[in-house]
Amino acid sequence: MKCVEESHNKRVYQEPSVGFLGSLATFVFICFFAFILFMALSSIWSSQGERRFTCFRVDQSTVNCEVSFQPFLPLPSQTTLHIDVRGAAVKTEIVEDDDGERTERYYVTLEKPTGETPAWLAFGESEAQELARRVDSFVNSTESRLLIDIDRFHLLELVFAILYSLLPGLFLALLLWVGALMLKVSFWCRRLTFDRSRYQIQEEHLTPFGSLGRKTYSFGDVQQILVQAKRNFVEFFSVEVKLQSRKPLLSVCYTDKEPEAQAEAEKLGQLLGRPVIFLRETKS
């Protein structure tokens, strides 16, 4: 805080405000992370649904296979059509994460004249081999249609999806809390008015829309003015007005210059008619 108004019977201290640019930066900051959260949740929910792996016979020598996905949300279904399937095999893929941990994935691949194409992600190697065997069996049979596999969206998966989606939600809540603090710094400011004509101290929390809160203390509540020297990497000095017991300690200003703190304390002491005490932090 710094003195913004001064006369023979009044001193007004007010915290500086970051202003419009700080508020704009806070708004952009919150919107950016809200957008990231929205995209993350959309990705989670849009990946939940029902997958079907079906093969059907077009004619005696031609088999097509279809992999369809119907999202849980009311979104358009997605279909991948594999034409002229001659057989199936199993492909193993090793995925390594950032921590160096390896995970094996097993795909059912379809053999076509144009080459081999991964079509279905199985839960394990034995399942992938069984599904590939079923595709081969269908290609060599006379059946017209066969449902190879189906992967439905289950309630348990929904619960896990919700729990998983709560994590970014909690992260957003933390960001909003930080953003609220930044908005407080940007918009709010604290003001202390020492008015000898009214024999009172007025503490206010100001916003662009007026005073948010106000407390009033009498000059008679003041015991003394303290100048405290503290060290936190560098030495700084605080000027504080000590009120009677059960009353708060009113912080007036902070500075790294001892004469400046002493001068402010002396002016307050003269205005309030109270002694000035200098305290220096001691190391044990």
Side-chain angles (χ1 to χ4, degrees):
M1 301 181 75
K2 67 177 182 178
C3 185
V4 295
E5 184 181 338
E6 178 178 11
S7 65
H8 69 282
N9 63 352
K10 181 186 287 188
R11 292 187 70 80
V12 180
Y13 295 86
Q14 186 167 308
E15 293 173 341
S17 175
V18 175
F20 175 75
L21 290 179
S23 304
L24 180 62
T26 302
F27 178 75
V28 172
F29 173 81
I30 294 176
C31 288
F32 174 73
F33 281 100
F35 174 75
I36 292 179
L37 175 65
F38 174 77
M39 295 301 293
L41 291 179
S42 299
S43 176
I44 292 172
W45 287 106
S46 62
S47 64
Q48 305 301 321
E50 180 181 277
R51 290 191 308 154
R52 286 179 177 268
F53 182 14
T54 308
C55 291
F56 55 93
R57 191 172 303 280
V58 179
D59 53 43
Q60 188 174 1
S61 60
T62 305
V63 170
N64 294 347
C65 290
E66 183 182 83
V67 177
S68 62
F69 172 69
Q70 178 60 56
F72 177 75
L73 295 177
L75 296 173
S77 61
Q78 305 168 17
T79 301
T80 303
L81 182 62
H82 302 274
I83 299 175
D84 197 6
V85 175
R86 305 292 177 85
V90 176
K91 179 181 178 181
T92 304
E93 181 182 68
I94 299 177
V95 180
E96 186 173 338
D97 59 17
D98 296 336
D99 298 328
E101 185 175 346
R102 294 188 173 187
T103 304
E104 291 184 341
R105 294 179 179 176
Y106 300 95
Y107 291 90
V108 176
T109 62
L110 299 179
E111 299 172 2
K112 301 185 292 184
T114 55
E116 191 178 59
T117 305
W120 188 263
L121 176 62
F123 290 103
E125 184 178 12
S126 59
E127 179 185 298
Q129 291 175 347
E130 172 61 22
L131 296 178
R133 185 196 64 77
R134 294 187 65 191
V135 173
D136 285 335
S137 177
F138 177 77
V139 170
N140 297 320
S141 71
T142 58
E143 295 181 71
S144 61
R145 190 178 189 88
L146 179 65
L147 178 61
I148 304 298
D149 196 11
I150 183 170
D151 181 14
R152 286 194 174 94
F153 182 81
H154 300 289
L155 179 61
L156 185 61
E157 294 179 2
L158 175 62
V159 173
F160 278 112
I162 292 175
L163 292 176
Y164 184 73
S165 65
L166 285 178
L167 294 178
L170 294 175
F171 181 62
L172 177 63
L174 176 62
L175 291 177
L176 291 176
W177 179 71
V178 173
L181 292 181
M182 294 178 65
L183 281 174
K184 180 177 179 180
V185 173
S186 301
F187 279 130
W188 297 6
C189 62
R190 179 168 164 266
R191 183 167 65 190
L192 284 173
T193 302
F194 298 86
D195 192 345
R196 189 162 58 186
S197 63
R198 296 184 178 182
Y199 202 66
Q200 69 178 17
I201 304 169
Q202 191 173 77
E203 182 182 23
E204 297 174 280
H205 293 281
L206 306 178
T207 71
F209 310 103
S211 176
L212 184 66
R214 180 178 300 172
K215 293 181 180 179
T216 302
Y217 310 98
S218 169
F219 274 22
D221 293 331
V222 179
Q223 290 184 334
Q224 57 195 10
I225 293 90
L226 302 177
V227 180
Q228 298 199 62
K230 299 180 181 179
R231 179 172 291 277
N232 185 12
F233 300 109
V234 295
E235 190 174 44
F236 67 96
F237 304 88
S238 64
V239 178
E240 297 172 331
V241 176
K242 184 178 181 182
L243 305 180
Q244 293 177 0
S245 59
R246 297 184 182 178
K247 298 284 185 178
L249 193 67
L250 299 179
S251 297
V252 177
C253 67
Y254 292 89
T255 178
D256 58 350
K257 299 176 182 178
E258 183 176 353
E260 183 179 325
Q262 190 70 34
E264 286 293 340
E266 293 293 344
K267 291 177 182 178
L268 277 176
Q270 294 175 6
L271 183 69
L272 297 171
R274 293 294 185 274
V276 176
I277 308 297
F278 189 93
L279 299 177
R280 185 175 292 275
E281 190 178 63
T282 58
K283 296 182 179 181
S284 57

